[in-house]
Structure formats: C-alpha cells, structure tokens
Amino acid sequence: MSTKLRLTILSFLQFFIWGSWLITIGAYWFQTKQWSGAQFGAIFSTMGIASIFMPSIMGIIADKYVNAEKLYGVLHILGGAVLCTVPLVTDPGTFFWVILLNMIFYMPTLALSIAVSYSVLKRQGLDVVKDYPPIRVWGTIGFIVAMWTVSLLGFEKSANQFYIAAAAAFALGIYSFTLPACPPPAKDTPSRSLVDVLGLKSFALLRDTKMLTFFLFALLLGAALQLTNAYGDTFLHDFDKVPAYKDTFAVKYPAIIMSISQVSETLFILAIPFFLRRFGIKQVMLFSMIAWVLRFGLLAYGTPDQPGIWLIVLSCIVYGMAFDFFNISGSLFVETQTASSIRASAQGLFMMMTNGFGAVLGSSVSGLVIEHYFTNPADQTKDWHGIWLAFAAYALVIAVLFVVLFKHKHNPQEVPSTEYPEPRLATEV
C-alpha cells in the first residue's frame, strides 16, 4: 500500500468519526431524550473547552516523549471506549461529562493527524505542500460519508450513531500503530518554558488595538459557527411533527441535506485566492459575516417542501462562504501581521479564540437563549423562525461593528498569489 493511500485512509477515518455524531447529536438529544435546550448548549461547549488546552499538552508529549503515531492511536482507542458508553447515559449532567471526556481524547488528534502525515510524507521525500492537500480533502469526504451513513441507516435519532463512531475510532486507533514511526523530534533538545510551549507569548498581540479587535471578532464568529452545527439537524427533524412535512426527503434524511454545507466548503476554497487578491482580507472577512446573516436568514424561512427546501439548500451553499472566507482569510491576516518568532503561537491564539472560547460562548449562550425565549414551556416546542432570525440579527450586528471598528487597508503585497493557509473543515480545530 502506498504512503499516500495509507495517509488518505487516516484522513478519511479521522473525520468519519466526528461526522458520525457531531451534526446528529442534536436530534438524539432533543428528539429521543427530550432534554432541555439550555443543557444542550453546554454539550457543544465541550469542544471549545478541550481545544483550549489539550492540543498543546498532547503536542508537548509527541514532541518530547512518545511517537506521534502511537499517541494518536492510543487517543483514538480511548475515545472509542468513551463513545461506547454514551448510549448508557440517562441524564444530561452525566452526558456532558462523558462527551467532554471524549473531546479531551479526540480534539488533540486533529493536530496529531497533521503532524503524523507531515512526518511520514517528509520521511518518504514527498512534497508536503503539493501532496498533503489531496490527502486532506478525503477528511471532508469522510465527514460527509459518515453523515450519509448515519442518515441512510436511520440512526440520526438513535444511540447507534455513537457505536458507528466508536467502531471507526477503534479501527483508526489500531491502524495507526501500523504507520511508519514518527519519533519525538525534540527528544534531545532543551526543554522550553511552559509559556513558550503553550504559545502564551502571543497574548502580547492583544496590546495592539487592531489585533485585539480582530481576535474579538474571531471569538464572536467562532460562536456563530457552533449554532448551525448544533441546531441545523434537529431543526429539520422537528418538521416531522407536521403531517404535511413528515414524509419529505429533508425530514427523513436531514443529515444528507446538511452535508451540502461541507460540499460547499470544498468549492468555496477554490475561490478564496481570487477574492483575496481582488478585495483584500477585510472585505473577504466582511463577506463571510454577510454570508452568516444569509445562512441564518434563509433557514428562518426554509421548509422541507417546495419551494422552501431550496432556501435551506441555498443556506447550506452560503455556509461554505461563511466558514471558509473568515477562517482562511483570518489565518492569512495573522500570518501577515505577526512577527515570525511568534507566528505559530499567534495562529494557535486565533484557533483558541474561534474554536475554544468562541465555541464555549456560542454553545452556552445559544442554549440559554433558546430555552428562555424561543421554547414553549408547555410542550417544549421551539420557535425556529424566531431562533434563526435572532441568530441572523446577531451576525448582522457583528458585520456592522466590524466595518466600523476594524481598521485595515488592503495591501496586495500581503496576499500570496498561489499559497494560503491550509483550509480547515467547519468542525475542525
């Protein structure tokens, strides 16, 4: 088996695990368990909590003490074991801690999968810049295939989705031990201070007004990302309570409809170099915020039948711009505005704001808002029209404030013509 094929399998399974339950956990929570929306918001905050500290800690271990591929395998096996216990949980409080434990094991593997792939490619004398992107795109495909698998098997509201994810985690964990060795690269080098390792020096960037403003908006946009990941699937499932919609394709297979968002991501990635050169980083980030307004606004008026289904599909297409244009152009902004000595930790700070603190904020606050303002206490039905319009208003306020507060002029010299930061999946840290 060729090196590229072996890494392609790794990338596919890495995101198949996550795609098996991330988008459909809301249906299991609300439709099957019928637990509260306020508590559900905390479930999605687990990704943010784990993202704040675990990748750095596991990075230290892989750099100094343990082969990356072995650490990667152990984490996936432990994560798979935790996923097997999820269906046994009978109360939302315990469910939070179980999912948090799973995220503690899973989130570091996102970075480790890249580290392992890079190490293997370099040891084989291959070009990382040229050869890794075609491998990585199979991660997106794996995520989509997982969503389709769970949906077509009828497991969107079932605990079986966690068993599918666990089986993939066990398979990837065992498989990783067959990969070429990736020994600790810094085993014999002097230890750096914890401040250096965790990238805490990058917090000095917050003394600069422009950088502080940028990172605050990164946090606010990171909160928006969690909203559709958390509620998109269960929003469509709720239509099965309406007899006229019950047998529509979108209600039977919501995850398949929502997977259009991931397909859109891969297409909008191709448009980013043109938009960056033509409009500049600030304008491209603004386009992202406007796309978020459209994403939520279209969902507010979408229905599973004709012609409303096309509003939902268009919302999924717009999502590609909403996610990609901010995350990739934001990474490029950090790349061009920071000194080389702290550039890596500055990128870590950007991810921490979006996928760490932003995820915690968006998940926790949205759950409370939905529970208190958009849920009927008598029968627990949700006003999805109001929910999506509230989210659209939130994104619109961010866009207006961004135009007023973020001061940055377009400089074509800052935009590389052929290379830009590697794109990340909507659910990826």
Side-chain angles (χ1 to χ4, degrees), residues 176-188:
S176 67
F177 283 92
T178 70
L179 295 171
C182 305
K187 184 176 182 179
D188 299 320

Side-chain angles (χ1 to χ4, degrees), residues 202-216 333 337-338 406-408:
S202 62
F203 279 88
L205 292 170
L206 302 182
R207 291 198 296 260
D208 179 85
T209 302
K210 183 166 72 170
M211 295 303 295
L212 174 62
T213 303
F214 168 77
F215 282 118
L216 286 176
F333 177 79
Q337 298 295 311
T338 56
F406 186 64
K407 309 296 183 183
H408 181 74

Side-chain angles (χ1 to χ4, degrees), residues 412-425:
Q413 298 298 323
E414 293 179 348
V415 183
S417 58
T418 58
E419 296 180 13
Y420 48 90
E422 181 204 341
R424 293 178 290 131
L425 190 65

Side-chain angles (χ1 to χ4, degrees), residues 7 62-63 66-71 112 115-121 123 176 179-185:
L7 295 179
D63 279 344
V66 179
N67 279 25
E69 84 285 355
K70 293 180 180 178
L71 179 62
L112 285 172
V116 169
S117 297
Y118 280 10
S119 176
V120 172
L121 288 171
R123 287 175 178 271
S176 67
L179 295 171
C182 305

Side-chain angles (χ1 to χ4, degrees), residues 337-348:
Q337 298 295 311
T338 56
S340 58
S341 59
I342 61 168
R343 194 163 288 157
S345 43
Q347 292 288 358

